Amino acid sequence: MPQINRQFVLASRPQGAVTPENFRLVETPLAPLADGEVRVRNHYLSLDPYMRGRMNDSKSYAPPQPLDEVMIGGTVGEVVESKNEKFAVGDKVVAMFGWQEYGTSNGTGIQKVDDTHVPLSAYLGPVGMPGVTAWYGLNRIIAPKAGETVVVSAASGAVGSVVGQLAKEAGARAVGIAGGQQKCRYVVETLGFDACIDYKAGNLYQDLKAATPDGVDGCFENVGGEVLDATLARMNPFGRIALCGYIAGYDGQPLPLKHPSLILTQRLLVQGFIVSEHMDVWPEALKQLGTLVAQKKLHYRESIAQGLDAAPEAFIGLLKGKNFGKQLVRLI
Ligand SMILES: NC(=O)c1ccc[n+]([C@@H]2O[C@H](COP(=O)([O-])OP(=O)(O)OC[C@H]3O[C@@H](n4cnc5c(N)ncnc54)[C@H](OP(=O)(O)O)[C@@H]3O)[C@@H](O)[C@H]2O)c1
């Protein structure tokens, strides 16, 4: 059994864009397990946009990531040592151990998962927090009816890819917005959206208008700024906007809306939400998402960086759209 745990801590808070210097790699001795404890070898770390917000020391829905402590993050891994009767060596678990190779728990905050039909990494993607986020925003806020049009931004990503596929399941027309032709092709050809607009092509509003001839009834917003502006201008009366993310503004730049009066004139519902505040829906959502993935009816893609050392650059890339699908770090 190794004696050393490698970890990334937050070394400093970013001023604008995140840099590698904001993180520090540390090596910490692994203490022997106490009675009731479990040791997990993490196989995958999830990198998520919310981590950018936690790096700031500012008012938000969650407290900031403390300096010099292990960066927060979802993980999946395998129990390698156990002094807790509820967990056996070899059990696969999902946890929030953060940016480190090993995690130790007293049995709380870790959950066994079955990787027989669902790959372990999917518990950090479509059958995990991003999947439930898609499920909640689509079903509980947008609630699309058959024949309605739903637009989702960051459509090839962990959340967006699930939103469009669930919208199609509900009989709606799904239109994605993504950066680049390759991502857009994937969104239509593999994920089965009806259309996808490349916002980098320079004709966002006109392209979106052409792809939404009947207007837009549901907007699942992941990006903000000009992307949200374009969809807002296409909203039908009584449309619903699930405000899930604002990634274009996470480095602190203000992103004013051009036409907020449309919220009034189109009588829109705009609802922000944080998925961790809706734990009541997780069992139902995970059951449905797990079944769809096991049956290969829900498609997803992963961007996998190799080794803990690669985590900072992969995270910086995620915030610039370099990932193509769910961003993970393989730790073994
Ligand atoms: N409310 C909640 O509870 C909750 C939970 C999970 C996630 N979220 C939010 O959901 C959104 C998607 O998260 P995810 O995990 O699925 O990430 P993701 O879509 O897998 O990756 C982020 C994507 O955002 C796009 N992007 C990045 N920087 C951008 C920029 N400056 N301008 C425009 N687009 C940019 C890129 O796609 P393109 O190349 O296509 O631009 C990038 O691939 C994020 O805003 C996240 O914060 C919210």
Side-chain angles (χ1 to χ4, degrees):
M1 190 64 59
Q3 304 297 308
I4 295 293
N5 192 11
R6 299 172 75 247
Q7 310 168 309
F8 267 110
V9 300
L10 181 63
S12 59
R13 301 201 185 278
Q15 308 298 319
V18 177
T19 67
E21 291 69 37
N22 295 132
F23 307 96
R24 186 173 61 250
L25 187 63
V26 298
E27 295 194 347
T28 314
L30 280 168
L33 286 189
D35 279 345
E37 285 188 332
V38 183
R39 178 144 298 143
V40 177
R41 178 66 170 101
N42 296 325
H43 287 198
Y44 291 94
L45 162 68
S46 174
L47 295 178
D48 295 272
Y50 75 83
M51 296 167 175
R52 176 64 188 85
R54 302 289 175 92
M55 293 172 82
N56 295 337
D57 188 6
S58 55
K59 189 177 169 204
S60 187
Y61 63 90
Q65 158 79 36
L67 287 169
D68 301 317
E69 289 190 16
V70 176
M71 277 292 296
I72 188 175
T75 51
V76 286
E78 182 172 347
V79 174
V80 288
E81 199 184 342
S82 179
K83 290 193 173 179
N84 183 315
E85 60 185 21
K86 295 196 180 122
F87 294 90
V89 170
D91 283 348
K92 304 290 180 10
V93 295
V94 60
M96 289 291 294
F97 284 131
W99 296 29
Q100 57 181 337
E101 291 177 342
Y102 288 88
T104 304
S105 161
N106 61 5
T108 59
I110 63 175
Q111 223 172 353
K112 279 189 231 183
V113 290
D114 181 355
D115 63 345
T116 323
H117 302 293
V118 172
L120 193 54
S121 61
Y123 288 101
L124 297 176
V127 194
M129 183 277 283
V132 180
T133 302
W135 190 99
Y136 183 86
L138 186 79
N139 291 320
R140 292 297 160 91
I141 298 174
I142 294 177
K145 297 184 198 69
E148 287 191 331
T149 297
V150 174
V151 170
V152 53
S153 52
S156 73
V159 174
S161 59
V162 178
V163 172
Q165 292 179 85
L166 294 181
K168 289 295 293 176
E169 281 266 316
R173 174 174 170 78
V175 177
I177 301 177
Q181 284 181 15
Q182 196 193 6
K183 285 185 176 178
C184 277
R185 244 193 328 272
Y186 165 77
V187 165
V188 173
E189 292 173 8
T190 304
L191 301 181
F193 285 44
D194 296 282
C196 183
I197 309 306
D198 172 9
Y199 70 90
K200 292 183 176 168
N203 206 22
L204 173 58
Y205 178 73
Q206 288 303 329
D207 289 348
L208 186 64
K209 189 175 171 194
T212 57
D214 299 328
V216 176
D217 305 289
C219 162
F220 193 108
E221 189 52 48
N222 286 322
V223 170
E226 63 177 23
V227 170
L228 173 56
D229 258 331
T231 311
L232 191 53
R234 294 294 303 149
M235 292 302 293
N236 289 329
F238 304 104
R240 292 83 67 199
I241 299 180
L243 203 40
C244 172
Y246 227 84
I247 194 167
Y250 285 0
D251 283 339
Q253 56 278 48
L255 296 173
L257 287 175
K258 282 195 196 124
H259 307 294
S261 60
L262 287 170
I263 297 170
L264 169 65
T265 55
Q266 297 296 75
R267 290 85 81 208
L268 304 178
L269 170 77
V270 183
Q271 177 72 61
F273 71 101
I274 298 298
V275 69
S276 53
E277 292 177 344
H278 301 281
M279 295 312 291
D280 55 314
V281 310
W282 281 58
E284 181 187 354
L286 287 176
K287 191 166 170 215
Q288 188 185 340
L289 294 162
T291 304
L292 289 170
V293 167
Q295 294 174 343
K296 303 204 183 315
K297 289 183 181 161
L298 186 70
H299 304 286
Y300 64 99
R301 191 184 156 114
E302 298 171 334
S303 274
I304 302 180
Q306 182 57 46
L308 184 68
D309 301 71
E313 284 298 345
F315 180 60
I316 290 166
L318 170 73
L319 297 172
K320 293 180 180 156
K322 287 192 182 159
N323 64 309
F324 188 173
K326 171 68 204 152
Q327 182 65 58
L328 300 169
V329 182
R330 198 198 315 268
L331 299 173
I332 48 168

